[in-house]
Amino acid sequence: MLKNKKATIKDIAKKLGVHHSTVSRALRDHPDIHPNTIKLIKRTAEQMNYQPNMFARNLKNNQTNLIGVIVPEIKHHFFANAIGGVEEAAHEHGYVIIVCQSNEDYEREVINTKALISNRIEGLLVSVSQTTRDGAHFQQFIDEGGKLVFFDRALESVNASKVIVDDYRGGFKATEYLIKKGKKRIAHLAGTKELEISKLRYQGYRDALKKYNIPFRKNLVFWGGFQEEDGIEGMEYLLKLKTHPDSIFAVNDPAAIGAYEVLERRGLRIPEDIAVVGFSNNPISAFIKPALTTIEQPSYEMGKAAMELLNEMLVSKRNKKTKKILKTKLIIRDSV
Amino acid sequence: MLKNKKATIKDIAKKLGVHHSTVSRALRDHPDIHPNTIKLIKRTAEQMNYQPNMFARNLKNNQTNLIGVIVPEIKHHFFANAIGGVEEAAHEHGYVIIVCQSNEDYEREVINTKALISNRIEGLLVSVSQTTRDGAHFQQFIDEGGKLVFFDRALESVNASKVIVDDYRGGFKATEYLIKKGKKRIAHLAGTKELEISKLRYQGYRDALKKYNIPFRKNLVFWGGFQEEDGIEGMEYLLKLKTHPDSIFAVNDPAAIGAYEVLERRGLRIPEDIAVVGFSNNPISAFIKPALTTIEQPSYEMGKAAMELLNEMLVSKRNKKTKKILKTKLIIRDSV
DNA sequence: CACGTGTTCGCAAACGTGTGTGTAAAAATA
DNA sequence: TATTTTTACACACACGTTTGCGAACACGTG
């Protein structure tokens, strides 16, 4: 079986006895080309199964149809959904997306970024890794004129556009709900201190306590991370305290599920002994028993919004840093 | 803020007063270039923040580092996981992946395929849409020398490599398990007739019945699809029969969950009134009540295996069509 | 008929890299 | 010293596309 070379614009030109520039223009409906010629060229292009070579086109135009996306892990429901939203919006605007995962690893994130830059992506959409402390790789991309927008997990040290949910109000609402249900010793399984998302949810938690005159206790806050293991570790820590908390506000649902595991193992009942509120409304949270009360975080919409924002930055060529905040919603179920 | 143009090989050459071809060779450690020159060039390239332009390189070499991936929907757990596996393996081999979703829509799948071909992807990984009947768009890619491997959902009409699970034995095992638990009227919520995956699971179901001398009843099979809605529709159909089935083998977990909904609504108990077995071991299936007995399908491994197979085809340049079959495992829980 | 004007197309250069060939100078050999 | 070989680089072209410029031609106008 021979490896047929793909038809080029020149092949079409040769076959028709015209210059290849004429073919180029014809395919793009240039007014200088006679309608009949256009029709003829388009027909033979079709029949020769011509597909434009984006490399040559992009090389010439110095612009691509590529958008880079970096997430910690594709398999996580939230990111999978967000990528789905990104792809949807990208498709509408004629882009295709290159997806990389950092596996929550800083080094890998840097490598991904460089690879994407080499592939001359038009813009970059990032939800940063849990282990990332330094944002030089992103800053460099921006400094060279690249358009970047963070979604969900943004890096504070980098001045870039971002799409996030109202983490502050989400944290506030979750905590307030626990308070209104009569909880007094509310613990917080927090994320990592470097991520804005963690800090804002934490701040919402603190401000809710303050508003209702509940003393803030530093030892009721466990800074861990976003994985189930972090929730397990944090819950075990909290149960070692001489006075148990009466409720938990977890930074996200996986962490909350980690807490569930520990509580179940220790024979503690949810919500009678300890109430739990999560964050992100993972589909599992509706199915676990008791169903988890949580803060809904529109993942698909967030991906879509991030891509839309990126597109605006791309077409306007302006360099304003925008911050788009999506609303959250308290989903009341049975864990409180 | 000025949009700095990225440094090219020529910029480096000009700055150093050498020819750009020398720079090109130096960066690739060509033996014709003096070690000192190489060192000098590499240093200034580093300092000028040079990133090779993949477009120019690919255009010249007529090969890319791009792998196309088309799935029905990124957000589905199975596909998200598979994409994660693909990305992992692709990363190891120096590829980046372009991900598109067909939204179970044939037209969209064709558009995606064309777009990927235009972007001169090196190879294509596909799980085909539910509505796809014709595979001409894939066949054309293959005929032009492109390497394609289907994973999970393969199209029979296209002669291509594929990575699938042992759907036949999976279907067989699921049905056999129901039989051994004393079930006699076993219904099957099947997928679509065009997909091999559906047919094999169906065949496994039939052969298990035959082996244990249980009569096959055509009206106990509902050909629907892979979504929750299909499960709902199918279950409603089955409950309209004058004699209810005593158990259900669903083509996948979402369909099984659809069946759960209908049964719950009708006040029927699982597994006492009707037992249910799913397929794919969606994470939710462990959390729903009763926990769903299902066939485990290694999604991440499947994505990884598909990418590995594609890579072998790419490096060997051979054109053999390989079929890789992954093992399934029966996960026994509480729905039977 | 000379001229301007508009239509339709060809020519050539360019984008950033890679590579085959040519060619000085340096080194090795006779 | 004269010759050959090797070293280290320059030159030019190619990949497939886009685009400015200009040529050939047809037409209408004075």
Side-chain angles (χ1 to χ4, degrees):
Chain A
M1 180 189 210
L2 71 167
K3 172 140 183 168
N4 292 335
K5 301 225 343 142
K6 302 199 193 293
T8 74
I9 222 170
K10 288 187 180 176
D11 298 330
I12 303 177
K14 205 181 299 174
K15 182 163 188 172
L16 260 41
V18 298
H19 198 264
H20 69 270
S21 65
T22 305
V23 177
S24 170
R25 284 190 249 255
L27 292 173
R28 326 184 85 234
D29 288 310
H30 194 286
D32 270 8
I33 309 297
H34 192 94
N36 290 341
T37 317
I38 292 188
K39 217 172 282 177
L40 175 65
I41 289 179
K42 282 195 174 176
R43 198 165 47 223
T44 58
E46 175 84 11
Q47 131 201 354
M48 290 176 73
N49 231 319
Y50 169 77
Q51 297 286 358
N53 186 328
M54 287 297 178
F55 286 122
R57 176 176 293 178
N58 295 340
L59 176 61
K60 187 67 188 162
N61 296 352
N62 203 29
Q63 57 152 13
T64 74
N65 62 145
L66 267 30
I67 299 293
V69 182
I70 303 179
V71 296
E73 284 189 274
I74 299 171
K75 69 178 181 191
H76 282 6
H77 171 262
F78 177 83
F79 294 119
N81 255 31
I83 294 172
V86 169
E87 201 277 343
E88 188 64 34
H91 180 80
E92 277 172 25
H93 295 292
Y95 293 105
V96 296
I97 63 172
I98 300 184
V99 180
C100 299
Q101 50 191 346
S102 62
N103 283 331
E104 302 281 15
D105 176 36
Y106 167 69
E107 309 284 350
R108 178 82 173 265
E109 190 177 272
V110 174
I111 292 173
N112 286 337
T113 308
K114 299 234 185 243
L116 291 173
I117 293 177
S118 265
N119 278 289
R120 291 295 189 272
I121 46 160
E122 204 74 359
L124 186 53
L125 257 25
V126 182
S127 203
V128 310
S129 142
Q130 199 174 132
T131 57
T132 300
R133 303 287 172 266
D134 175 61
H137 48 310
F138 297 135
Q139 194 60 58
Q140 177 189 321
F141 176 69
I142 296 173
D143 289 346
E144 284 179 349
K147 308 295 181 197
L148 185 150
V149 8
F150 287 121
F151 65 97
D152 192 46
R153 298 204 206 155
L155 213 52
E156 274 199 310
S157 61
V158 178
N159 179 24
S161 292
K162 53 192 82 170
V163 176
I164 48 178
V165 292
D166 192 342
D167 292 293
Y168 173 79
R169 281 200 51 76
F172 189 94
K173 276 192 277 191
T175 312
E176 184 177 45
Y177 179 67
L178 286 170
I179 294 170
K180 290 195 170 168
K181 286 290 180 176
K183 304 302 176 187
K184 302 288 182 202
R185 292 186 72 86
I186 303 174
H188 179 35
L189 295 173
T192 57
K193 288 189 180 174
E194 283 71 21
L195 262 31
E196 219 174 326
I197 175 181
S198 316
K199 292 169 75 167
L200 288 173
R201 291 177 194 180
Y202 167 73
Q203 201 53 51
Y205 159 79
R206 287 203 59 165
D207 287 0
L209 292 181
K210 186 191 270 179
K211 177 175 175 191
Y212 291 94
N213 293 318
I214 296 184
F216 165 72
R217 293 174 218 271
K218 195 171 177 187
N219 62 353
L220 285 182
V221 175
F222 179 84
W223 291 91
F226 300 94
Q227 318 277 31
E228 201 169 318
E229 297 77 43
D230 300 311
I232 293 176
E233 195 184 341
M235 195 66 233
E236 277 168 351
Y237 156 78
L238 290 172
L239 291 183
K240 281 197 198 110
L241 298 177
K242 54 181 180 290
T243 318
H244 290 180
D246 58 11
S247 55
I248 310 284
F249 162 45
V251 70
N252 67 355
D253 284 359
I257 289 171
Y260 263 55
E261 282 183 35
V262 175
L263 291 173
E264 194 161 335
R265 218 186 302 139
R266 302 286 182 95
L268 291 165
R269 293 162 308 164
I270 307 171
E272 293 82 355
D273 298 323
I274 294 186
V276 181
V277 177
F279 205 116
S280 68
N281 195 25
N282 192 299
I284 291 181
S285 60
F287 290 104
I288 51 177
K289 299 289 168 183
L292 179 65
T293 292
T294 187
I295 301 286
E296 186 185 51
Q297 199 181 2
S299 47
Y300 188 87
E301 288 72 18
M302 186 176 287
K304 199 158 180 171
M307 182 61 230
E308 292 291 353
L309 176 55
L310 181 58
N311 183 59
E312 280 168 30
M313 294 165 63
L314 252 20
V315 298
S316 76
K317 309 223 185 256
R318 296 214 55 261
N319 226 309
K320 197 160 54 88
K321 309 287 188 257
T322 316
K323 187 173 183 175
K324 179 156 187 180
I325 298 177
L326 269 46
K327 287 223 174 66
T328 58
K329 207 172 98 187
L330 178 67
I331 308 285
I332 297 178
R333 287 199 272 252
D334 314 324
S335 63
V336 177
Chain B
M1 182 190 208
L2 71 168
K3 171 141 185 169
N4 291 334
K5 301 223 346 143
K6 299 199 194 294
T8 76
I9 221 171
K10 288 187 181 176
D11 297 330
I12 303 178
K14 205 181 298 174
K15 181 162 188 172
L16 260 43
V18 298
H19 199 265
H20 71 268
S21 65
T22 305
V23 177
S24 171
R25 284 190 246 258
L27 292 174
R28 325 186 87 235
D29 287 310
H30 194 286
D32 268 10
I33 309 297
H34 193 93
N36 290 340
T37 316
I38 293 187
K39 214 171 286 176
L40 174 65
I41 289 178
K42 282 196 174 174
R43 197 166 47 224
T44 57
E46 176 82 11
Q47 132 201 355
M48 290 176 73
N49 229 319
Y50 169 76
Q51 296 283 1
N53 186 328
M54 288 297 178
F55 287 122
R57 177 175 292 178
N58 295 341
L59 176 60
K60 185 67 189 165
N61 297 352
N62 203 28
Q63 57 152 15
T64 73
N65 63 146
L66 267 29
I67 299 293
V69 182
I70 303 179
V71 296
E73 284 189 273
I74 299 170
K75 69 178 180 191
H76 281 7
H77 171 261
F78 177 83
F79 294 119
N81 254 31
I83 294 172
V86 169
E87 201 277 344
E88 188 63 35
H91 180 80
E92 277 173 25
H93 295 292
Y95 293 106
V96 296
I97 63 173
I98 301 184
V99 180
C100 298
Q101 50 191 348
S102 61
N103 283 332
E104 302 282 14
D105 176 36
Y106 167 70
E107 308 284 351
R108 177 84 174 263
E109 191 178 270
V110 174
I111 292 173
N112 285 336
T113 308
K114 301 233 186 244
L116 290 173
I117 293 176
S118 266
N119 279 289
R120 292 296 187 271
I121 46 161
E122 205 72 1
L124 186 53
L125 258 25
V126 182
S127 204
V128 311
S129 141
Q130 199 174 133
T131 56
T132 299
R133 302 288 172 263
D134 176 61
H137 49 307
F138 297 135
Q139 194 60 58
Q140 176 191 318
F141 176 69
I142 296 173
D143 290 345
E144 285 178 347
K147 308 296 181 196
L148 185 149
V149 10
F150 287 122
F151 66 98
D152 193 48
R153 298 203 206 157
L155 213 52
E156 273 199 311
S157 61
V158 178
N159 179 24
S161 293
K162 53 191 83 168
V163 176
I164 48 176
V165 292
D166 192 344
D167 292 293
Y168 173 79
R169 281 201 50 76
F172 189 94
K173 276 192 279 191
T175 312
E176 186 178 44
Y177 179 69
L178 287 169
I179 295 170
K180 290 195 171 168
K181 286 291 180 176
K183 304 303 176 188
K184 303 287 183 202
R185 293 185 71 87
I186 304 173
H188 179 34
L189 294 174
T192 56
K193 288 190 178 174
E194 283 73 20
L195 261 32
E196 220 174 325
I197 176 180
S198 316
K199 293 169 75 167
L200 287 172
R201 291 178 194 180
Y202 167 73
Q203 200 55 50
Y205 160 79
R206 287 202 60 163
D207 287 1
L209 292 181
K210 186 192 269 180
K211 178 176 175 191
Y212 292 93
N213 293 317
I214 296 184
F216 165 73
R217 295 174 216 272
K218 194 170 177 188
N219 63 353
L220 285 183
V221 176
F222 178 85
W223 290 92
F226 300 93
Q227 317 275 34
E228 202 168 319
E229 297 78 43
D230 300 310
I232 293 176
E233 194 184 342
M235 194 68 234
E236 275 167 352
Y237 156 78
L238 290 171
L239 291 182
K240 281 197 196 109
L241 298 176
K242 53 182 180 292
T243 318
H244 288 181
D246 58 10
S247 55
I248 309 284
F249 162 44
V251 70
N252 67 355
D253 284 359
I257 289 171
Y260 263 55
E261 281 184 34
V262 176
L263 292 172
E264 194 160 335
R265 219 186 303 138
R266 302 287 181 94
L268 291 164
R269 292 163 307 164
I270 307 171
E272 293 82 354
D273 298 323
I274 294 186
V276 180
V277 177
F279 206 116
S280 66
N281 194 25
N282 193 298
I284 291 179
S285 60
F287 289 105
I288 52 177
K289 298 290 166 181
L292 179 65
T293 292
T294 187
I295 302 287
E296 186 186 50
Q297 198 181 4
S299 47
Y300 188 87
E301 288 72 17
M302 184 175 288
K304 199 159 180 172
M307 183 60 230
E308 292 291 353
L309 176 55
L310 181 58
N311 183 58
E312 281 169 28
M313 295 165 64
L314 251 19
V315 298
S316 76
K317 308 222 185 256
R318 296 213 56 259
N319 226 309
K320 196 160 56 85
K321 307 287 188 259
T322 317
K323 187 173 181 175
K324 179 155 188 181
I325 299 179
L326 269 44
K327 289 222 173 67
T328 58
K329 208 173 96 186
L330 177 68
I331 308 284
I332 298 177
R333 287 199 272 252
D334 314 324
S335 64
V336 177

